Amino acid sequence: EVQLVESGGGLVQAGGSLTLACAASGFTYENYAIGWFRQAPGKAREGVSCILKTDGYTSYGDAVKGRFTISGDFAKNKVYLQMKDLKPEDSAVYYCAAVEPIRLDICGIWASYYDKWGQGTQVTVSS
């Protein structure tokens, strides 16, 4: 059974940086995708980024391109989301999600693409 545990959230000032980690385990297949999503109060869940385990393919949402970087240390079953130049509008609960097996050579940043979710970690950016 796939298990996902997020960590690394916290309070940071605008312009600062934070790195989130997703500990992902229990996969049956080698071809899986990990995604990061966020949800602020009263707003819809938003796709942030994703990565494929097979070839490291990545994708980013427009709101975070150039500021966030996703990476995977799959030997340690970890996927990271490095966030720089944080803005108050980045404040949200951040979730990692997973899907396996994947049948395309890309990953998606829409929620319905994934069927496993972590519990989330809060990120708050103060102005």
Side-chain angles (χ1 to χ4, degrees):
E1 181 181 354
V2 174
Q3 292 189 330
L4 305 168
V5 180
E6 303 94 336
S7 62
L11 175 64
V12 63
Q13 289 188 332
S17 300
L18 207 59
T19 297
L20 305 182
C22 174
S25 62
F27 292 100
T28 300
Y29 301 91
E30 286 295 309
N31 52 330
Y32 60 84
I34 301 288
W36 281 100
F37 291 79
R38 65 187 183 185
Q39 189 165 19
K43 294 188 177 181
R45 190 163 293 192
E46 177 187 14
V48 174
S49 184
C50 65
I51 186 168
L52 292 185
K53 193 261 184 181
T54 48
D55 62 5
Y57 171 93
T58 60
S59 183
Y60 296 91
D62 289 341
V64 306
K65 281 180 181 176
R67 299 189 298 123
F68 290 13
T69 302
I70 192 170
S71 62
D73 183 347
F74 296 104
K76 296 183 179 179
N77 295 324
K78 290 280 185 72
V79 170
Y80 301 97
L81 185 68
Q82 184 180 24
M83 306 184 294
K84 296 181 178 180
D85 189 24
L86 284 161
K87 305 174 182 180
E89 52 264 43
D90 293 317
S91 297
V93 177
Y94 282 71
Y95 300 89
C96 68
V99 60
E100 61 153 358
I102 57 167
R103 295 177 175 82
L104 301 174
D105 58 358
I106 61 171
C107 56
I109 51 172
W110 55 92
S112 59
Y113 185 82
Y114 299 87
D115 57 9
K116 299 292 190 298
W117 293 83
Q119 294 299 308
T121 185
Q122 176 71 48
V123 172
T124 303
V125 184
S126 63
S127 57

